[in-house]
Amino acid sequence: MDTAHLEGLIGMLTVLGILVLLILPSIIGIAHDRRVDRQIRKAQQAHRRYFTTTATHHS
């Protein structure tokens, strides 16, 4: 492997590293948003179940 190939490889790895650094926060944010959405849905379902069973018991 000569110098030109090595410089090309280093350049390509540098670009890929920068790309990963730019994309990683977005992926982490998407995963966090999905987890929060799941928690909200779970809380809403529990809230509905509680008020459905409470309303039927007190009537």
Side-chain angles (χ1 to χ4, degrees), residues 15-27:
V15 169
L16 287 174
I18 292 171
L19 183 65
V20 166
L21 288 175
L22 289 173
I23 292 175
L24 192 61
S26 298
I27 293 172

Side-chain angles (χ1 to χ4, degrees), residues 3-51:
T3 307
H5 285 116
L6 191 57
E7 286 179 3
L9 181 62
I10 291 170
M12 190 183 323
L13 291 174
T14 302
V15 169
L16 287 174
I18 292 171
L19 183 65
V20 166
L21 288 175
L22 289 173
I23 292 175
L24 192 61
S26 298
I27 293 172
I28 292 171
I30 289 169
H32 180 263
D33 287 348
R34 287 184 181 206
R35 186 176 68 234
V36 168
D37 289 344
R38 264 196 313 269
Q39 290 173 345
I40 290 171
R41 264 187 264 116
K42 185 177 176 183
Q44 287 174 340
Q45 289 172 353
H47 182 75
R48 272 191 236 114
R49 268 188 260 125
Y50 174 76
F51 281 105

